[in-house]
Amino acid sequence: MKNIRNFCIIAHIDHGKSTLADRLLEATGTVTDREKQDQLLDNMDLERERGITIKSHAIQMEYVYKGENYILNLIDTPGHVDFSYEVSRSIAACEGALLIVDAAQSIQAQTISNLYLALENDLEIIPVLNKVDLPSANVEEVTDDIVDLLGCKAEEVIPASAKTGLGIDEILSAIIERIPPPKGNPDESLQALIFDSVYNPFRGVETYFRVLNGEIRKGQHIKFMATGKSYFADEVGTLRLKQFPRDVIKTGDVGYLITGIKEAKEVKVGDTITDSKSPTVNMIAGFEDVKPMVFAGIYPVDTEDYEELRNSMEKLQLNDASLVFVPESSMALGFGFRCGFLGMLHLEIIQERLEREFDMTVITTVPNVSYHAFSNKDPETPILVNNPSDLPDPSKLNRVEEPYIKATIITKSDFVGSVMSLCIEKRGEITNQTYLTTERVELTFDMPLAEIVFDFYDRLKTVSKGYASFDYSPIGLRMSHLVKVDVLLNGNIVDALSALLHRDNAYDIGKKICEKLRQLIPRQQFDIPIQAAIGAKIIARETVKALRKDVTAKCYGGDISRKRKLLEKQKKGKKRMRQVGNVEIPQEAFMAVLKLND
């Protein structure tokens, strides 16, 4: 056990986590020249294209240091705020963390939030200053920032460049010397933490775990404590680039487990594995069910593909346990699913993966968050509103509560004004403002989650010229004045475009939606009124004008009444057409609502 080191890499998006992991794998000889490629641990096409890590990845390395053999278990974690629960479980499986800071960009919001997670778990932090070879690198200044943040000495910060391989040996020796070996009792009953799972179509769910106490053997009868189910350990082993089966994984080590589980729901990240004959009494702290933050409807473009979409979603859920979905139907779009996501990036990635991996073209409705409504009859029991159509009738409604978040934004001092006005426009209340240095400010806001769902992140990047970083955590529900805005096309409500909005913003957003739809809906032979309404009150209207045939063209000369007669006849035809006419809504119209400010 004394020669095992478990560590993870934490950083803000794009500070060079995956590249540094590549260099560590090369330096320890874990990968051969043939297997080398950039972002080696990011095995999804989507991760490579976008240059982001979506899933945690674990890998074991062997390294000889001062004549002794060491086993290093590395967990590469996602940097984006949407995946912070996964990061917290990976951190719980380690004793140390490499905190990577980009020498050109300095400390960002996500760096700080992941650092706090690591400190809560008493991890040994090794600060690494990455990208020191860049011409724009501010080595001294950023080193001072790290020293202020961590309270460490300047000599402890390791300057490195993951691109050129500078400082990699120093990082490896720091991992061995500074990170403590795992503590744990090999003689106690088995206690292991699940920090990730992946789905293998041939073997079922593969569970990645870290043994805290005891040991796990091949063929052992084991139990998952959160679900209470028991299984046989068909295979256990360690994770290299390929899997290496072993007979036993001992205390302090990281490995994988195959039990032939077919249902992803049975494996929960953060759960405890124990022996079913002599189970441990203590469950590992910190387990929670993943709570979706953003909800959206996903519908097949062709209603006949409904079953196929269901199968695709179930397979996706096996790989991504944080996706939640239930069937629902819509008047406008037919049968589909109401899905829960961790955030907007998660929503985008699921949509993209459905299209790539399963060839499913889908329509996504306007995302919203889940509210609690209270009726006059029973003002204590909340009614969960995940969809605007679930909102009770306004006459029976007592109040509505919406989820709030604590948003932390770090930006340059030049952009404080524009960032503040954006947050205040989004109904944010400033709670704190701290100057980290003369140049960089940390702003803290309490904001409604619904306001950051749409375009907040994009607009924040725009007003700060890309210099603001953003992180959030939920802080509970607060009462709010919300109204349901319906969109009517030709007098019929299109339920897929309905939205719950704050009363102050309802008029403006309703007007913008109508204007946007007017540009996107194709013209018909009759006028199409587009209206936004709160209850029975119309708050905005636009009209898509009819295409008209010139029926009077054949009348030359003669009495005016001949022309009038033809025009009246045309008018009657148009009126009848409007009563039976159907308006086709193009796919862009559903997505356009998200981009109202463009």
Side-chain angles (χ1 to χ4, degrees), residues 387-435:
N387 196 343
S389 55
D390 301 342
L391 193 73
D393 190 75
S395 57
K396 296 174 186 159
L397 196 62
N398 180 313
R399 67 186 190 280
V400 181
E401 293 183 351
E402 64 173 330
Y404 262 69
I405 56 156
K406 175 178 174 238
T408 309
I409 297 167
I410 294 182
T411 184
K412 279 193 162 183
S413 46
D414 314 358
F415 304 118
V416 172
S418 48
V419 168
M420 270 191 189
S421 55
L422 169 67
C423 293
I424 289 163
E425 179 197 325
K426 297 282 187 187
R427 306 195 342 250
E429 299 160 17
I430 187 157
T431 54
N432 199 354
Q433 178 177 358
T434 321
Y435 275 80

Side-chain angles (χ1 to χ4, degrees), residues 302-360:
D302 200 337
T303 342
E304 286 138 31
D305 298 338
Y306 174 70
E307 279 306 319
E308 208 174 311
L309 179 63
R310 179 197 290 274
N311 295 338
S312 307
M313 299 277 273
E314 280 169 358
K315 283 178 187 159
L316 248 187
Q317 196 180 32
L318 292 170
N319 189 267
D320 186 346
S322 38
L323 168 67
V324 186
F325 64 91
V326 288
E328 78 163 358
S329 62
S330 146
M331 303 277 285
L333 300 170
F335 290 105
F337 296 96
R338 185 103 204 133
C339 307
F341 305 97
L342 299 174
M344 288 301 284
L345 177 77
H346 191 206
L347 165 87
E348 256 180 72
I349 282 163
I350 293 291
Q351 199 178 339
E352 188 97 7
R353 285 181 71 182
L354 279 171
E355 290 188 5
R356 288 194 186 192
E357 294 170 30
F358 304 101
D359 280 340
M360 294 296 309

Side-chain angles (χ1 to χ4, degrees), residues 250-319:
K250 296 194 168 152
T251 313
D253 214 346
V254 172
Y256 71 91
L257 162 74
I258 294 176
T259 49
I261 301 173
K262 294 284 183 288
E263 286 280 324
K265 296 181 193 73
E266 294 176 25
V267 179
K268 294 187 182 292
V269 172
D271 194 358
T272 308
I273 307 175
T274 187
D275 188 75
S276 58
K277 293 192 184 71
S278 56
T280 176
V281 245
N282 307 325
M283 202 168 155
I284 297 162
F287 169 70
E288 53 184 80
D289 277 324
V290 179
K291 294 182 191 70
M293 304 285 268
V294 176
F295 295 85
I298 287 188
Y299 293 84
V301 171
D302 200 337
T303 342
E304 286 138 31
D305 298 338
Y306 174 70
E307 279 306 319
E308 208 174 311
L309 179 63
R310 179 197 290 274
N311 295 338
S312 307
M313 299 277 273
E314 280 169 358
K315 283 178 187 159
L316 248 187
Q317 196 180 32
L318 292 170
N319 189 267

Side-chain angles (χ1 to χ4, degrees), residues 102-172:
D102 184 331
Q105 293 184 41
S106 192
I107 293 161
Q108 305 274 326
Q110 203 63 40
T111 323
I112 292 179
S113 81
N114 285 347
L115 172 68
Y116 287 157
L117 275 178
L119 291 173
E120 274 168 28
N121 286 286
D122 293 332
L123 263 61
E124 178 63 41
I125 308 286
I126 299 175
V128 176
L129 186 61
N130 194 16
K131 308 193 186 179
V132 291
D133 58 320
L134 288 181
S136 56
N138 266 338
V139 180
E140 289 85 14
E141 199 179 304
V142 180
T143 306
D144 291 344
D145 290 351
I146 297 172
V147 171
D148 289 348
L149 181 68
L150 288 176
C152 61
K153 299 190 183 81
E155 305 82 75
E156 290 174 25
V157 180
I158 303 170
S161 164
K163 196 161 77 180
T164 61
L166 172 79
I168 298 298
D169 293 337
E170 287 85 345
I171 292 172
L172 283 165

Side-chain angles (χ1 to χ4, degrees), residues 460-496:
L460 178 67
K461 287 287 185 208
T462 311
V463 299
S464 66
K465 301 190 178 166
Y467 277 110
S469 64
F470 168 67
D471 180 45
Y472 65 85
S473 54
I475 52 171
L477 296 153
R478 295 187 189 178
M479 201 176 122
S480 197
H481 273 289
L482 296 172
V483 288
K484 180 180 164 203
V485 176
D486 290 316
V487 175
L488 291 84
L489 279 186
N490 205 8
N492 302 321
I493 290 180
V494 182
D495 56 356

Side-chain angles (χ1 to χ4, degrees), residues 18-43:
S18 300
T19 318
L20 187 81
D22 292 349
R23 292 296 91 78
L24 292 173
L25 294 176
E26 283 168 25
T28 53
T30 310
V31 288
T32 59
D33 286 345
R34 267 186 66 191
E35 294 166 323
K36 263 186 209 170
Q37 64 185 96
D38 286 345
Q39 285 174 268
L40 189 72
L41 294 178
D42 293 347
N43 46 15

